[in-house]
Coordinates of all heavy atoms in Angstrom, one line a residue:
T943 N 0.8 -1.2 0.0 CA 0.0 0.0 0.0 C 0.9 1.3 0.0 O 0.5 2.3 -0.6 CB -0.9 0.0 1.2 OG1 -1.7 -1.2 1.2 CG2 -1.9 1.2 1.2
L944 N 2.0 1.2 0.7 CA 2.9 2.3 0.7 C 3.7 2.4 -0.6 O 4.5 3.4 -0.8 CB 3.9 2.1 1.9 CG 3.3 2.3 3.3 CD1 4.4 1.9 4.3 CD2 2.8 3.7 3.5
G945 N 3.5 1.5 -1.5 CA 4.1 1.6 -2.8 C 5.5 0.9 -3.0 O 6.2 1.1 -4.0
L946 N 5.8 0.0 -2.0 CA 7.1 -0.7 -2.1 C 6.9 -1.9 -3.0 O 6.1 -2.8 -2.8 CB 7.5 -1.2 -0.7 CG 8.9 -1.8 -0.5 CD1 9.9 -0.7 -0.8 CD2 9.1 -2.3 0.9
K947 N 7.6 -1.8 -4.2 CA 7.4 -2.8 -5.2 C 7.7 -4.2 -4.8 O 7.0 -5.2 -5.2 CB 8.2 -2.4 -6.5 CG 7.9 -1.1 -7.1 CD 6.5 -1.0 -7.6 CE 6.3 0.4 -8.3 NZ 4.9 0.4 -8.8
A948 N 8.7 -4.4 -3.9 CA 9.1 -5.7 -3.5 C 8.4 -6.0 -2.1 O 9.0 -6.8 -1.3 CB 10.6 -5.8 -3.4
G949 N 7.2 -5.5 -1.9 CA 6.6 -5.6 -0.6 C 6.3 -7.1 -0.2 O 6.4 -7.4 0.9
I950 N 6.0 -7.9 -1.2 CA 5.7 -9.3 -0.9 C 7.0 -10.0 -0.4 O 6.9 -10.7 0.6 CB 5.2 -10.1 -2.2 CG1 3.8 -9.5 -2.6 CG2 5.1 -11.6 -1.9 CD1 3.3 -10.2 -3.8
F951 N 8.1 -9.8 -1.0 CA 9.4 -10.4 -0.6 C 9.8 -9.9 0.7 O 10.1 -10.7 1.6 CB 10.4 -10.1 -1.7 CG 11.8 -10.6 -1.4 CD1 12.0 -12.0 -1.3 CD2 12.9 -9.8 -1.1 CE1 13.2 -12.5 -1.0 CE2 14.1 -10.3 -0.8 CZ 14.3 -11.7 -0.8
Y952 N 9.7 -8.6 0.9 CA 10.1 -8.0 2.2 C 9.2 -8.5 3.3 O 9.6 -8.7 4.5 CB 10.2 -6.5 2.2 CG 11.3 -6.0 1.3 CD1 11.1 -4.9 0.4 CD2 12.6 -6.5 1.4 CE1 12.2 -4.4 -0.4 CE2 13.6 -6.1 0.6 CZ 13.4 -5.0 -0.3 OH 14.4 -4.6 -1.1
G953 N 7.9 -8.6 3.0 CA 6.9 -9.1 4.0 C 7.3 -10.5 4.4 O 7.1 -10.8 5.6
M954 N 7.7 -11.4 3.5 CA 8.2 -12.7 3.8 C 9.4 -12.7 4.8 O 9.4 -13.4 5.7 CB 8.5 -13.5 2.6 CG 7.3 -13.9 1.7 SD 7.7 -14.7 0.2 CE 8.5 -16.1 0.7
I955 N 10.3 -11.8 4.5 CA 11.5 -11.7 5.3 C 11.1 -11.3 6.8 O 11.6 -11.9 7.7 CB 12.5 -10.7 4.7 CG1 13.1 -11.2 3.4 CG2 13.6 -10.4 5.7 CD1 14.0 -10.2 2.7
L956 N 10.3 -10.2 6.9 CA 9.9 -9.8 8.2 C 9.1 -10.8 8.9 O 9.2 -11.0 10.2 CB 9.0 -8.5 8.0 CG 9.8 -7.2 7.6 CD1 8.8 -6.1 7.3 CD2 10.8 -6.8 8.6
T957 N 8.2 -11.6 8.2 CA 7.4 -12.6 8.9 C 8.4 -13.7 9.4 O 8.2 -14.2 10.5 CB 6.4 -13.2 7.9 OG1 5.6 -12.2 7.4 CG2 5.5 -14.2 8.5
A958 N 9.3 -14.1 8.6 CA 10.3 -15.1 9.0 C 11.1 -14.7 10.2 O 11.3 -15.5 11.2 CB 11.2 -15.5 7.9
I959 N 11.5 -13.4 10.2 CA 12.3 -12.9 11.4 C 11.4 -12.9 12.7 O 11.9 -13.3 13.7 CB 12.7 -11.5 11.1 CG1 13.8 -11.5 10.0 CG2 13.3 -10.8 12.4 CD1 14.2 -10.1 9.5
V960 N 10.2 -12.5 12.6 CA 9.3 -12.5 13.7 C 9.0 -13.9 14.2 O 9.0 -14.2 15.4 CB 7.9 -11.8 13.4 CG1 6.9 -12.0 14.5 CG2 8.1 -10.3 13.2
G961 N 8.9 -14.8 13.2 CA 8.7 -16.2 13.6 C 9.9 -16.8 14.3 O 9.7 -17.6 15.3
M962 N 11.1 -16.4 14.0 CA 12.3 -16.8 14.7 C 12.4 -16.2 16.1 O 12.8 -16.9 17.0 CB 13.6 -16.5 13.8 CG 13.7 -17.4 12.6 SD 15.2 -17.1 11.7 CE 14.8 -15.7 10.7
I963 N 12.0 -14.9 16.1 CA 12.1 -14.3 17.4 C 11.2 -15.0 18.5 O 11.5 -15.1 19.6 CB 11.6 -12.8 17.3 CG1 12.7 -12.0 16.5 CG2 11.4 -12.1 18.7 CD1 12.3 -10.6 16.2
F964 N 10.0 -15.4 18.0 CA 9.0 -16.0 18.9 C 9.2 -17.6 19.0 O 8.3 -18.2 19.5 CB 7.6 -15.6 18.6 CG 7.3 -14.2 18.9 CD1 7.4 -13.2 18.0 CD2 6.8 -13.9 20.2 CE1 7.1 -11.9 18.3 CE2 6.5 -12.6 20.5 CZ 6.7 -11.6 19.6
G965 N 10.2 -18.1 18.4 CA 10.4 -19.5 18.5 C 9.5 -20.4 17.6 O 9.4 -21.6 17.8
L966 N 8.9 -19.8 16.6 CA 8.0 -20.6 15.7 C 8.8 -21.1 14.5 O 8.3 -22.0 13.9 CB 6.9 -19.7 15.3 CG 6.0 -19.1 16.4 CD1 4.9 -18.1 15.8 CD2 5.3 -20.2 17.2
I967 N 9.9 -20.5 14.3 CA 10.7 -21.0 13.1 C 12.2 -21.1 13.6 O 12.7 -20.3 14.4 CB 10.7 -19.9 12.0 CG1 9.3 -19.8 11.4 CG2 11.7 -20.3 10.9 CD1 9.2 -18.7 10.4
A968 N 12.8 -22.2 13.2 CA 14.2 -22.5 13.7 C 15.1 -21.4 13.2 O 15.1 -21.0 12.0 CB 14.6 -23.9 13.2
V969 N 16.0 -21.0 14.0 CA 17.0 -19.9 13.7 C 18.2 -20.6 13.0 O 18.7 -21.5 13.5 CB 17.4 -19.2 14.9 CG1 18.5 -18.1 14.5 CG2 16.3 -18.5 15.7
P970 N 18.6 -20.1 11.8 CA 19.7 -20.6 11.1 C 21.0 -20.5 12.0 O 21.2 -19.5 12.6 CB 19.8 -19.8 9.8 CG 18.5 -19.2 9.7 CD 17.9 -19.0 11.0
S971 N 21.8 -21.5 12.0 CA 23.0 -21.5 12.8 C 24.2 -21.6 11.9 O 24.4 -22.7 11.3 CB 23.0 -22.6 13.9 OG 22.8 -23.8 13.3

């Protein structure tokens, strides 16, 4: 909505990061 063309890709990155923060996704080691 803010006009970021790669919004879908960046949204996936942010979702994965939040998932790792809350222990829902394994953190790469």
Side-chain angles (χ1 to χ4, degrees):
T943 303
L944 291 173
L946 191 62
K947 300 297 183 179
I950 294 177
F951 179 65
Y952 291 136
M954 290 175 62
I955 293 176
L956 290 173
T957 305
I959 291 173
V960 170
M962 288 185 279
I963 291 174
F964 287 94
L966 302 176
I967 297 175
V969 179
S971 56

